[in-house]
Amino acid sequence: MLVKEKSPPRAKNDAVLADVAPKRTKCPIEKLGLGLLSFWFLNHDLEEAELTRQIEELKDKGFSGFFMHPRGGLNVPYGSRSWNDVIKFCVLEARRVGLEAWLYDEDPYPSGVAGGRVTIEHPEYRATELVPKIVQIEEAGHLVVDLPPGELIAAYLICGREIRRIDEWAGLVRSRWTQFHSSSTYYPPYHDGSPHWRAMTLAPHYRLKFEAESGDATVVAFTRQEVIQAPWGHYSDLLNPKAVELFLRYTHEHYGRMLEKECGSVVPGIFTDEAKLKGLLPWSHLVPQWFFEVCGHSLWEKLPHLVLEIDQQTPFFRWAYRKALALGLRSAMVEPMIEACGRNKLLLTGHVSPEEDPILQAICVPGIMGVIGRMDIPGTDHIGAGLGNARKSLLHLSPKLASSAAHGHKKKFVACEAFAVCDWAQDVASLTKATHWLFALGINRIVTHGQFYSIDGLRKREAPPSQFFQASYWEHFESFSRMVEMMSRELTRGRHQAPLLVYYPEESFMALVGGMPGGTSGKPEFEMRESLGKLAHQLLVAGYDFDLADEEIFQKVAMVNGAVTLNDEAFEVIVVPGRHLTLASWQKCKALMATGADVIFLEREITVLADEPYCVRGEDLTPDTLVAKLRETVVPLWQAQGPLIGHQRLTEEGATLFLCNNGAQDFCGNVAVTFPSPYEICRPDNGCWQRVENLDQLELAAGLGMLIRSAGDRSKISSVGQGGWEVADVKWMDWNSTFKHDNCAVLSEFRVVGSDSGEIPSWGSFDAAPLIDFLAPSVLNVSLGQRTAFRFYSATFNWSGPKTPIRLVCDSELSEGFSTFFLNGRMLNHPKRKFTYDPMNREVDITDLICEGNNRILWREKMVWEDGRECFPYDGLRLFGKFHAEYPSGRAVPAFLHAREQIYACQFPAIATQVGHSHYGGIIEYEGKFQLNCAPVQRLKIRFGHIFETMEVRFNGIPVGRLWCAPYELEIPPPLLEDDGNVLTLACSCSPANYLQALSRPSGFLGPVTWLVMT
């Protein structure tokens, strides 16, 4: 049933929500689940039956909860009664199945505008920035300077160090002419005027016009402009307390009232997403006041320092401006949001951005560690397929900042919104590598981005992929969920243990970043950013894990019993990178050094930011020379001849270390750790702890990790290394391959013919017509240069043999409106809604219209133009059925189809493309019979060469495990062996990119199937 407006409101649900739970405080952090949390994209019509089905899917696959996240394509008016009913319904269903229902404070993101209401209803709350104009005066005389559009904030004339206001010489002009020819009488009752020309000037802007008394001077002026932000066109002024108050009223306060009895229980909290300042020089009316509070100077007198290098005080005033923005952001947005969450019993989580770039942090989120550290669950995000490594070292900063902020503000959980924008070829192995990298940097909660309610229409391109039912690996996803839950449990116990505390040089970037756009070459802030990324990577792979501390956290550091302490952590050395320090941080360094702290300054010279700046001496160390210096006095947490990074926790039982191979090659070698042997090791993907006497031959596949802990007095766990594994003698029979779902043939390449009449063109007219691939990015730039009322798209396929049921499947948005489909000249029935890969799919049975040989599908569409550009369909059509498909011309049409075999018999399991299933996105089930010829075995293991997507292994009909990442091996309980023969069944998932993007990704597995025994 569709969720729609009802009158009166849903009294039944309201009563249920009101009567169940007593009044609560915030949900205790310790009572939260440790499993995955879903970014659940609510992006279509949101029907109750489908909402229930998807919530049950999340529960079944091991999630702890979900965030109710409005996204592009949402058809339920955001903030309406209908939307409120959806939220209430989802909360009820979450309580029924035992999930956490988390709120989300925006539609879609970044947070701050309440879906656009704040800036639509109150234009005065729109974010603005200063736009500077700089003109060098080379000689005295008459000067005219046209300024950028917007309100004039201030204009200055700078001669040497002298700064003088010249606002009085500015005024408005209109300098852009337009002309037109008219026959208007200018009197509405009459229309027979004389033809005449008209012209007028447009676009008022400020102009400075004055006499320059001398050359060698500079004019700088600042105008204020509104910031443009998709998708609303504007963004909220997060430095304006009234704008933030209105935002919170529409979101946090509204949800708190509506779900009063549920907040603090089934509704633990709310996610805030990517709130930030906009523009190179963000502006609000309170900025001058905050600037004065920071440094005691008038901003109006110092504004030119933001864009010009005037004197040695310029870095100080630039820092003071960014620091003022940081204080303003905290007082206007962060603290009111935390207070609103407290009033409404909601935990606050989320993230701001950007987290990996210290330059953009200084511009968009100055004071970033203080912002995320104040959340109940500090967070970050990681988008794209790239992970931090030697080449992309800055990516390490994002999770490190979040985990360090959590440790510095004594928070248990650190969340990461992960797996976004990797496109549909993403597989579970890549999810695992990203997870292991994040956990090695201190993350301990994963928010999956995301689970799409629907991929109908362009939703499938809205930050894909969807790690949900649209992918066949979803059938095996519970195993990945359990792995993450186990890692979260292990890596939230105890406290973080690291030898180094690294000062985060935020103020140095604040002092260096100016307000003018430009290149990166030669600028000190870009050199320092590169150096900071290298420093992070070099320390990590050298075994020197660390926490970051900004100015605020650094003030909490103390010397206790000869150790540098911060909350419950102890460090051996403080490392200070960066070319600037605030006066407070420099004084803190001196106080710590006076009590015996080992503080290493990396730069040769550090400027102390004060009203009268001064310099102090450092050591001029590179990341490499720093590591060499540390080796002399500090023992690394781990040592190995390979790029291993990690995170160590100290509990009452001892240390637990998670090590991750950060290299591109597999690692096998000796690892030295700081806690005694024997050890217990655990591959997170199988969750089994095994006892080893040493770490001499530790194996870590590229990108993957291992949990290691001291065995101590723990209960006995199975040991490894007692004897050796031997390759077993196996006699294989032939394999059978079965495809458990309908095959797919993607029709994406169409020949295009225009028509004004809408009548079907002759078949011959398509032979030389342009061929366009609707799935290729180039379709965005295609232009046929024809303006016709209709367009016909033609695609062909061949059929041979007996017919099997075939359905034409498309998105709802392609079947609605002015689209009509024909097969072999006959109009098809209008496609009806039926779930194939999405709840909103439309399909029509075409079996009876298919003929032997060539078949032609025609798609008639009314021509669409947007912004003077031709628009073609964003997607192709899909044929689904039990057929075999060959593509003799590669991806190009036509496909050759015939009825597929029930079972494909072969000597060795074949991948899908080898047996006519190039666009198949379902499950392939391989079955092989074999006889194991060996003496009674103590242990039995199977090893595969390579697995694509995921594999569920069944031995003699009994599930024994799932595999999705290297090493592709699994122990089998020996009692399952049968003397008279055994059956191995392998259920492999295929990539959704096959049927969504026609990519023909490999599926199944490659390489030998090897049995290993220990007798």
Side-chain angles (χ1 to χ4, degrees):
M1 182 179 65
L2 292 175
V3 178
K4 52 189 177 183
E5 292 285 359
K6 296 187 177 183
S7 182
R10 293 168 57 108
K12 180 179 179 181
N13 275 7
D14 290 346
V16 172
L17 287 169
D19 293 342
V20 172
K23 190 170 184 179
R24 298 176 182 270
T25 57
K26 277 188 179 182
C27 178
I29 289 287
E30 293 74 17
K31 291 189 176 182
L32 295 175
L34 292 172
L36 291 169
L37 293 170
S38 164
F39 246 26
W40 187 23
F41 286 12
L42 301 180
N43 63 357
H44 213 292
D45 291 328
L46 308 184
E47 302 165 347
E48 289 186 352
E50 182 61 21
L51 291 168
T52 293
R53 187 190 74 82
Q54 295 191 19
I55 289 172
E56 290 175 346
E57 284 285 338
L58 293 172
K59 176 66 175 179
D60 182 63
K61 297 306 184 289
F63 282 70
S64 288
F66 53 83
F67 292 93
M68 295 171 282
H69 184 3
R71 292 293 290 211
L74 177 66
N75 290 334
V76 179
Y78 179 69
S80 68
R81 181 186 298 176
S82 301
W83 173 254
N84 294 338
D85 284 347
V86 167
I87 296 297
K88 293 176 185 177
F89 180 82
C90 292
V91 170
L92 287 171
E93 289 298 283
R95 186 174 62 203
R96 179 180 65 82
V97 302
L99 289 177
E100 299 162 3
W102 291 74
L103 299 166
Y104 184 91
D105 71 0
E106 192 49 85
D107 172 28
Y109 63 91
S111 295
V113 296
R117 290 184 69 179
V118 172
T119 53
I120 290 172
E121 296 174 3
H122 290 270
E124 70 274 19
Y125 293 165
R126 293 174 180 173
T128 60
E129 63 171 324
L130 297 183
V131 179
K133 177 70 177 280
I134 300 175
V135 176
Q136 297 295 135
I137 302 175
E138 298 179 356
E139 58 183 26
H142 187 68
L143 189 69
V144 177
V145 180
D146 284 322
L147 304 183
E151 175 193 359
L152 177 65
I153 296 298
Y156 301 87
L157 181 66
I158 296 96
C159 299
R161 297 184 60 182
E162 180 187 357
I163 300 174
R164 179 161 60 91
R165 290 284 291 268
I166 56 172
D167 301 47
E168 67 271 22
W169 297 103
L172 286 165
V173 298
R174 299 181 308 280
S175 54
R176 181 164 65 86
W177 282 93
T178 185
Q179 62 177 332
F180 57 93
H181 193 265
S182 173
S183 297
S184 173
T185 66
Y186 303 98
Y187 297 100
Y190 308 107
H191 306 284
D192 54 349
S194 300
H196 58 276
W197 284 96
R198 291 294 307 271
M200 65 175 65
T201 52
L202 305 173
H205 62 277
Y206 280 92
R207 172 179 287 174
L208 279 166
K209 191 173 184 181
F210 66 101
E211 293 292 327
E213 298 175 356
S214 64
D216 194 22
T218 304
V219 172
V220 57
F222 298 87
T223 54
R224 184 171 69 96
Q225 296 181 3
E226 290 184 355
V227 172
I228 297 174
Q229 171 67 53
W232 312 285
H234 303 95
Y235 190 55
S236 287
D237 180 3
L238 301 183
L239 299 172
N240 186 333
K242 292 184 178 179
V244 174
E245 179 186 7
L246 184 61
F247 164 67
L248 295 175
R249 187 191 313 160
Y250 285 146
T251 53
H252 301 62
E253 303 285 7
H254 166 72
Y255 285 134
R257 290 191 304 272
M258 184 176 77
L259 302 169
E260 180 180 3
K261 301 301 181 182
E262 313 306 304
C263 293
S265 56
V266 67
V267 181
I270 191 167
F271 194 104
T272 192
D273 201 1
E274 296 195 4
K276 66 189 79 175
L277 304 179
K278 292 292 183 175
L280 289 176
L281 295 172
W283 187 256
S284 191
H285 66 286
L286 291 175
V287 172
Q289 172 185 323
W290 294 323
F291 182 87
F292 184 81
E293 292 174 6
V294 169
C295 66
H297 290 268
S298 168
L299 180 57
W300 302 113
E301 298 174 359
K302 308 300 179 184
L303 207 53
H305 284 275
L306 304 186
V307 294
L308 296 174
E309 300 282 351
I310 295 176
D311 56 31
Q312 64 176 0
Q313 286 188 305
T314 292
F316 173 65
F317 292 130
R318 289 185 179 181
W319 165 79
Y321 167 73
R322 302 293 175 183
K323 183 68 172 180
L325 297 179
L327 295 180
L329 189 64
R330 182 180 302 178
S331 63
M333 186 199 77
V334 178
E335 292 174 357
M337 186 178 291
I338 292 171
E339 292 168 1
C341 287
R343 286 192 298 272
N344 294 287
K345 301 161 291 182
L346 295 170
L347 297 171
L348 179 62
T349 188
H351 77 103
V352 293
S353 73
E355 297 101 330
E356 71 289 336
D357 185 349
I359 294 176
L360 289 179
Q361 289 165 16
I363 295 170
C364 303
V365 198
I368 185 172
M369 292 187 72
V371 174
I372 58 178
R374 282 169 166 75
M375 297 178 182
D376 296 289
I377 302 177
T380 185
D381 81 336
H382 175 253
I383 62 175
L387 305 179
N389 52 34
R391 191 169 64 89
K392 298 180 179 180
S393 56
L394 276 170
L395 295 182
H396 290 316
L397 283 184
S398 174
K400 258 302 171 187
L401 270 177
S403 61
S404 298
H407 301 156
H409 289 267
K410 299 193 286 189
K411 305 296 172 64
K412 177 178 180 179
F413 289 136
V414 195
C416 183
E417 169 198 334
F419 316 144
V421 199
C422 298
D423 219 16
W424 290 98
Q426 181 190 65
D427 57 20
V428 184
S430 63
L431 304 185
T432 303
K433 290 180 179 181
T435 300
H436 286 198
W437 170 69
L438 290 167
F439 274 68
L441 296 172
I443 300 298
N444 53 38
R445 297 300 307 274
I446 297 293
V447 179
T448 56
H449 182 298
Q451 280 66 50
F452 290 40
Y453 176 93
S454 173
I455 57 171
D456 189 38
L458 285 173
R459 295 169 183 84
K460 64 175 62 66
R461 296 182 181 174
E462 205 259 313
S466 170
Q467 303 95 26
F468 208 11
F469 57 84
Q470 296 91 354
S472 60
Y473 64 66
W474 180 250
E475 293 191 20
H476 305 153
F477 203 77
E478 182 189 11
S479 297
F480 174 77
S481 298
R482 297 307 176 200
M483 178 200 73
V484 175
E485 183 175 11
M486 183 273 289
M487 294 177 67
S488 294
R489 182 174 59 253
E490 291 295 330
L491 297 177
T492 52
R493 299 171 63 242
R495 61 176 176 85
H496 179 222
Q497 190 175 21
L500 304 184
L501 182 67
V502 177
Y503 186 81
Y504 191 58
E506 182 180 45
E507 61 261 44
S508 199
F509 290 99
M510 290 178 174
L512 292 171
V513 170
M516 291 295 293
T520 64
S521 60
K523 290 189 175 182
E525 61 265 36
F526 291 95
E527 296 172 0
M528 197 171 72
R529 179 178 67 180
E530 182 179 3
S531 177
L532 185 61
K534 289 181 179 179
L535 173 66
H537 183 74
Q538 290 293 85
L539 291 177
L540 289 168
V541 298
Y544 291 115
D545 191 17
F546 60 89
D547 263 347
L548 296 166
D550 65 357
E551 180 188 19
E552 179 187 10
I553 293 174
F554 194 55
Q555 296 305 312
K556 304 176 185 178
V557 175
M559 287 294 290
V560 179
N561 298 325
V564 177
T565 61
L566 173 62
N567 299 326
D568 60 356
E569 293 188 66
F571 306 93
E572 296 182 54
V573 175
I574 299 172
V575 177
V576 182
R579 304 180 183 186
H580 305 81
L581 278 175
T582 64
L583 180 60
S585 292
W586 167 240
Q587 290 174 340
K588 185 68 176 181
C589 287
K590 290 196 298 181
L592 290 169
M593 289 187 290
T595 55
D598 188 358
V599 182
I600 301 176
F601 298 92
L602 300 189
E603 295 289 339
R604 176 180 300 174
E605 188 175 84
I606 301 100
T607 299
V608 178
L609 297 167
D611 208 356
E612 294 294 333
Y614 57 94
C615 294
V616 296
R617 302 292 295 176
E619 298 189 45
D620 194 18
L621 298 174
T622 67
D624 288 328
T625 55
L626 171 65
V627 169
K629 180 181 178 69
L630 291 172
R631 295 284 192 202
E632 300 173 2
T633 57
V634 182
V635 178
L637 292 179
W638 60 89
Q639 297 181 68
Q641 294 300 312
L644 307 186
I645 64 175
H647 180 88
Q648 185 159 304
R649 310 289 297 184
L650 189 61
T651 69
E652 293 180 356
E653 294 83 10
T656 297
L657 172 63
F658 179 67
L659 273 185
C660 178
N661 180 359
N662 193 231
Q665 305 297 322
D666 294 347
F667 170 85
C668 180
N670 177 59
V671 176
V673 297
T674 56
F675 47 93
S677 61
Y679 307 106
E680 291 170 356
I681 62 174
C682 175
R683 271 180 49 191
D685 58 309
N686 67 29
C688 296
W689 289 92
Q690 294 181 314
R691 184 186 179 98
V692 295
E693 295 304 315
N694 56 60
L695 301 174
D696 288 347
Q697 291 297 315
L698 189 69
E699 296 182 4
L700 289 174
L704 299 177
M706 181 84 73
L707 284 161
I708 306 168
R709 66 190 184 195
S710 179
D713 297 327
R714 301 177 197 271
S715 58
K716 295 295 183 181
I717 292 177
S718 62
S719 298
V720 297
Q722 300 173 356
W725 290 99
E726 299 177 355
V727 177
D729 179 19
V730 178
K731 180 182 179 181
W732 287 100
M733 289 66 159
D734 286 346
W735 287 80
N736 292 327
S737 302
T738 306
F739 291 83
K740 308 301 289 185
H741 301 89
D742 283 352
N743 196 8
C744 176
V746 180
L747 306 178
S748 65
E749 294 181 322
F750 291 82
R751 296 199 178 273
V752 184
V753 171
S755 170
D756 284 319
S757 67
E759 297 295 324
I760 296 177
S762 65
W763 295 136
S765 63
F766 289 99
D767 292 342
L771 182 67
I772 299 177
D773 187 346
F774 293 165
L775 292 180
S778 59
V779 74
L780 298 176
N781 301 315
V782 171
S783 176
L784 301 183
Q786 301 175 341
R787 276 190 176 271
T788 56
F790 295 90
R791 274 197 299 235
F792 283 85
Y793 311 121
S794 170
T796 60
F797 66 91
N798 279 271
W799 181 268
S800 62
K803 292 182 181 180
T804 62
I806 295 186
R807 299 151 11 244
L808 177 70
V809 179
C810 64
D811 288 348
S812 68
E813 296 182 11
L814 295 181
S815 68
E816 295 170 352
F818 299 98
S819 291
T820 309
F821 302 104
F822 303 83
L823 179 58
N824 297 327
R826 296 180 60 181
M827 183 185 296
L828 300 181
N829 294 327
H830 190 73
K832 303 297 183 183
R833 179 176 168 183
K834 188 174 181 181
F835 195 122
T836 297
Y837 57 85
D838 189 82
M840 299 299 170
N841 285 151
R842 302 298 192 268
E843 71 170 49
V844 58
D845 191 305
I846 62 172
T847 309
D848 293 339
L849 298 182
I850 291 177
C851 63
E852 184 79 12
N854 188 57
N855 292 263
R856 185 186 297 270
I857 288 179
L858 279 185
W859 174 1
R860 182 177 64 193
E861 181 189 54
K862 188 170 182 180
M863 194 167 182
V864 178
W865 290 75
E866 287 184 3
D867 300 324
R869 181 176 59 87
E870 295 178 65
C871 292
F872 292 88
Y874 59 85
D875 200 3
L877 304 176
R878 294 170 177 83
L879 303 180
F880 279 90
K882 292 176 173 53
F883 54 76
H884 181 105
E886 299 291 346
Y887 299 87
S889 302
R891 180 174 166 179
V893 294
F896 285 76
L897 313 180
H898 59 81
R900 78 179 180 197
E901 303 171 33
Q902 294 296 317
I903 296 176
Y904 290 83
C906 48
Q907 292 184 340
F908 192 83
I911 62 176
T913 54
Q914 295 173 323
V915 286
H917 284 68
S918 296
H919 299 167
Y920 182 69
I923 297 288
I924 311 174
E925 192 167 276
Y926 302 105
E927 184 178 281
K929 297 181 180 180
F930 67 96
Q931 182 74 43
L932 189 65
N933 302 317
C934 64
V937 299
Q938 177 185 2
R939 298 173 67 186
L940 176 66
K941 181 163 62 175
I942 187 171
R943 178 183 294 162
F944 302 91
H946 188 90
I947 291 171
F948 297 103
E949 305 304 319
T950 59
M951 174 192 286
E952 182 175 81
V953 181
R954 297 194 294 274
F955 191 84
N956 291 328
I958 298 175
V960 292
R962 291 172 178 153
L963 298 172
W964 64 87
C965 61
Y968 304 104
E969 57 185 39
L970 189 68
E971 283 212 38
I972 308 295
L976 295 182
L977 278 171
E978 300 286 351
D979 294 334
D980 56 350
N982 298 273
V983 177
L984 181 67
T985 306
L986 310 172
C988 295
S989 62
C990 297
S991 174
N994 293 343
Y995 76 87
L996 288 175
Q997 296 175 312
L999 288 187
S1000 300
R1001 296 273 297 172
S1003 54
F1005 62 95
L1006 295 176
V1009 180
T1010 306
W1011 284 99
L1012 303 171
V1013 296
M1014 188 179 292
T1015 59

